[in-house]
Amino acid sequence: MSVELFLEIGTEEIPAGFLPVAMEAMEARIRQELEHARVGFDAVRTFSTPRRLALSVTGVALQQERQELEITGPPARIAFDADGNPTKAAIGFAKTNGVDVSELQTVSTPKGDYLGIRKVDEGGATAELLPELLPRLIQAIPFKKSMRWKDLDQRFARPVHWVVALFDGKVVPFAFAGLTSGNKSQGHRFMAPQAFEVTGAEQYVQACEEHRVIVDTERRRVMVAEQVEQVGKDAGGATSMDADLLDEVTNLVEYPQAIFGTFDEEFLQLPDELLITSMKEHQRYFTVSQPDGTLLNRFITVSNNLAKDLSVVVKGNERVLRARLADAMFFWQEDQKVKLEVRLDALKNVVYQKKLGTSFEKVERFRTLAVELAEQFDTDAKALTERAATLAKCDLETGMVYEFPELQGIMGREYATLEGEAPRVCTAISEHYLPVSAGGDLPSDNVGAFVSLADKVDTICGCFGVGLIPTGTADPYALRRNAIGVLNIILDRGFALDLPALVERSLVLLEPKLTRPLKDVRNDVLTF
């Protein structure tokens, strides 16, 4: 006979980014625990919202599987004395395993004869294992950051407020974080905060919805997507359905309600990337655009509350966004008062890495490399490459990038365009950071490719040169990503590049900074 095991951990709001990893680990851990305990089961299903992590295991056996054991002890030659009496070794082995010496057997192995015991473990009741198994499972859920609260020893992503644990509909009794497990869950914090009884997963899903909680993550994601799409139409445009933002918003709400607001049209003069970043990264808003992709002065937010007066919610979000965009407009206007190239000198005061010097020194190194690459593969692009490399990092000293670091390169391109720089130079300033992820976009032009290659090779060689070498668990300077980026750019552009020579040249430029022999660094970099 088999039954259902159900567990829910109710908490304060857990950060959205924590949930996917936690749920994946929670499912893997319950599978591991049950398999190790020799408890059969059919399927595992997980549920999550910002305030709860839950799982249901169906087809769980009521009893552990029967197990036949063969335990090997000391060599037979030392187990009995010359008179055939058991020695301390034999007596101790028998006592340890809870049997009489007369039950010991001689077992032949490739290494000789040993004492052995054959035992049958009939297995215990599953219900008796769970009070220890479930707290161990909860404590093992990994989080990027965890915390302690009150005077408790246990840690979790956020304080735990209730625990539901059921096996065959009956409470599995245990304590965790000062709480005792039970069969009562809680509804939506604002719309239905009262407790309700849980009997099993199917009833739990329905009861949650009655209490304004959509506990099925996939269903909640579909609801958010459909609402955002419809509200985008209501706002007079189309919504850019960013998959990462959709996932994040899904994990920020328990009961979604999409609404749209507006912002002043004057802010549309800001670059699209800046508007999108301000709305997506800082406010978790979806953007609305015309069919040709032109942004409208609209945004969509997903509320976690069916407010009686949605206009109040809209006005609150509009007020917050207006302040954010006003800051962006200020930086946009102030930054244009100082030309990019003038900011190059300020990089002398910016430490790139304490052993490798300033950002200005780094620019000088990779500019030399980039120009030499242009001389090899595209002499017509030499002047453009030198100019792009010179300006590539200048936007790091702008107020906009200080406020919005994720816009480095993008703002450099925008300011360079306003200053009348060549289009290929402007594009290269932005694209020299590419690729930003595995399989990501690559520079679309040789100028950007030369600067990107030079910058990445300087980073790799510099870090190896001062002993900042990646390990199996740490790569703080993203050297693996940079190395893969170098190879992908070479292949994409079709450069017949002498990579050892490029590494050697980079190390020569870095030689005053190296703390290891140049030859050793060269070999390590090329091996890497």
Side-chain angles (χ1 to χ4, degrees):
M1 182 177 175
S2 61
V3 297
E4 181 190 45
L5 169 64
F6 179 82
L7 174 69
E8 182 198 38
I9 309 155
T11 71
E12 293 182 14
E13 278 74 3
I14 296 175
F18 288 15
L19 292 178
V21 174
M23 297 316 298
E24 183 179 341
M26 196 172 173
E27 178 177 348
R29 183 74 183 204
I30 191 62
R31 289 180 179 276
Q32 176 186 332
E33 288 279 2
L34 292 176
E35 289 168 359
H36 180 72
R38 310 193 320 277
V39 175
F41 62 93
D42 291 337
V44 180
R45 182 184 180 189
T46 60
F47 312 90
S48 68
T49 77
R51 294 185 66 220
R52 64 201 74 224
L53 310 176
L55 61 80
S56 164
V57 187
T58 55
V60 181
L62 292 174
Q63 193 82 9
Q64 288 179 287
E65 295 176 2
R66 183 175 182 273
Q67 185 178 36
E68 294 185 3
L69 301 173
E70 186 175 280
I71 304 171
T72 303
R77 57 184 170 76
I78 67 168
F80 298 93
D81 61 21
D83 297 326
N85 297 314
T87 63
K88 289 183 178 180
I91 295 171
F93 175 60
K95 184 177 180 180
T96 299
N97 290 278
V99 299
D100 189 80
V101 174
S102 62
E103 297 180 56
L104 300 179
Q105 303 175 14
T106 300
V107 179
S108 295
T109 74
K111 294 183 179 181
D113 292 341
Y114 286 78
L115 285 191
I117 302 171
R118 287 187 174 86
K119 296 176 64 175
V120 175
D121 182 354
E122 296 294 346
T126 301
E128 295 176 359
L129 305 174
L130 297 177
E132 289 188 10
L133 185 154
L134 293 181
R136 188 165 62 242
L137 164 70
I138 297 172
Q139 193 65 72
I141 299 173
F143 297 102
K144 188 176 181 180
K145 292 182 179 179
S146 59
M147 62 181 292
R148 290 174 58 186
W149 61 100
K150 297 183 179 178
D151 59 349
L152 303 171
D153 292 330
Q154 286 92 347
R155 300 178 68 92
F156 208 71
R158 291 294 183 270
V160 178
H161 288 295
W162 74 88
V163 176
V164 176
L166 303 172
F167 183 63
D168 193 17
K170 301 179 182 66
V171 173
V172 179
F174 64 87
F176 180 81
L179 300 168
T180 301
S181 57
N183 65 348
K184 296 289 182 64
S185 183
Q186 295 181 19
H188 192 284
R189 183 188 292 277
F190 307 114
M191 294 187 289
Q194 60 270 27
F196 61 89
E197 188 172 318
V198 179
T199 59
E202 294 304 319
Q203 176 268 342
Y204 169 74
V205 172
Q206 182 177 347
C208 279
E209 187 157 352
E210 292 171 357
H211 289 78
R212 299 296 189 179
V213 175
I214 306 301
V215 76
D216 185 304
T217 307
E218 188 54 41
R219 178 159 178 258
R220 204 165 63 250
R221 182 183 288 105
V222 171
M223 288 178 65
V224 171
E226 290 177 346
Q227 289 183 20
V228 168
E229 184 176 3
Q230 182 58 52
V231 170
K233 294 177 181 177
D234 296 341
T239 305
S240 174
M241 194 62 68
D242 184 288
D244 292 338
L245 180 58
L246 176 59
D247 288 342
E248 184 173 9
V249 169
T250 298
N251 287 324
L252 282 171
V253 299
E254 291 200 312
Y255 200 92
Q257 175 63 55
I259 50 179
F260 80 86
T262 62
F263 56 87
D264 296 340
E265 289 192 2
E266 67 170 312
F267 293 125
L268 290 175
Q269 65 183 282
L270 295 169
D272 283 358
E273 288 95 336
L274 175 54
L275 289 171
I276 293 170
T277 297
S278 297
M279 288 187 271
K280 174 188 172 182
E281 301 295 337
H282 297 274
Q283 304 302 137
R284 310 307 187 258
Y285 295 162
F286 294 89
T287 57
V288 182
S289 59
Q290 299 177 4
D292 64 358
T294 303
L295 287 181
L296 294 170
N297 63 325
R298 306 280 192 275
F299 67 88
I300 299 172
T301 184
V302 179
S303 174
N304 187 35
N305 192 1
L306 296 178
K308 293 180 180 179
D309 187 355
L310 288 176
S311 66
V312 175
V313 181
V314 171
K315 288 178 181 177
N317 281 276
E318 289 177 340
R319 184 169 59 252
V320 172
L321 182 60
R322 187 181 304 113
R324 175 68 67 175
L325 295 182
D327 287 345
M329 180 65 80
F330 170 79
F331 292 123
W332 173 249
Q333 294 170 344
E334 288 297 304
D335 285 344
Q336 292 178 50
K337 295 177 181 179
V338 180
K339 288 190 174 295
L340 273 180
E341 190 169 13
V342 175
R343 299 182 186 276
L344 180 64
D345 199 54
L347 294 178
K348 294 178 180 178
N349 300 316
V350 178
V351 176
Y352 162 63
Q353 205 285 328
K354 63 181 180 180
K355 294 181 180 180
L356 294 172
T358 65
S359 292
F360 181 84
E361 292 174 292
K362 179 174 176 59
V363 169
E364 287 194 311
R365 291 193 302 267
F366 76 69
R367 177 173 57 194
T368 299
L369 283 181
V371 170
E372 291 176 1
L373 286 170
E375 288 174 343
Q376 290 182 61
F377 299 107
D378 188 353
T379 54
D380 292 340
K382 179 180 175 181
L384 295 174
T385 300
E386 183 172 13
R387 186 63 177 166
T390 299
L391 301 178
K393 305 294 184 183
C394 289
D395 65 350
L396 296 177
E397 282 298 295
T398 62
M400 188 72 80
V401 172
Y402 182 84
E403 181 73 9
F404 302 94
E406 57 269 41
L407 291 177
Q408 57 187 291
I410 294 171
M411 296 315 304
R413 179 195 67 201
E414 295 297 323
Y415 293 139
T417 300
L418 290 174
E419 292 172 10
E421 295 289 345
R424 293 177 71 187
V425 169
C426 300
T427 299
I429 292 172
S430 172
E431 291 188 348
H432 90 276
Y433 285 104
L434 300 180
V436 295
S437 62
D441 292 337
L442 300 171
S444 61
D445 181 87
N446 277 351
V447 176
F450 296 145
V451 179
S452 182
L453 285 172
D455 186 18
K456 290 174 172 58
V457 169
D458 176 81
T459 298
I460 295 169
C461 290
C463 287
F464 270 80
V466 296
L468 301 174
I469 300 173
T471 66
T473 57
D475 185 12
Y477 292 90
L479 301 189
R480 291 187 182 88
R481 187 184 71 195
N482 279 326
I484 293 170
V486 166
L487 297 176
N488 283 337
I489 291 171
I490 292 171
L491 294 171
D492 181 67
R493 306 308 298 178
F495 296 150
L497 180 62
D498 185 344
L499 196 53
L502 178 62
V503 169
E504 184 95 33
R505 178 62 175 142
S506 177
L507 291 172
V508 168
L509 295 172
L510 279 158
E511 194 162 11
K513 306 290 186 182
L514 301 182
T515 60
R516 304 172 60 217
L518 188 151
K519 182 179 179 181
D520 292 347
V521 178
R522 176 185 180 277
N523 292 337
D524 287 348
V525 169
L526 292 174
T527 300
F528 178 70

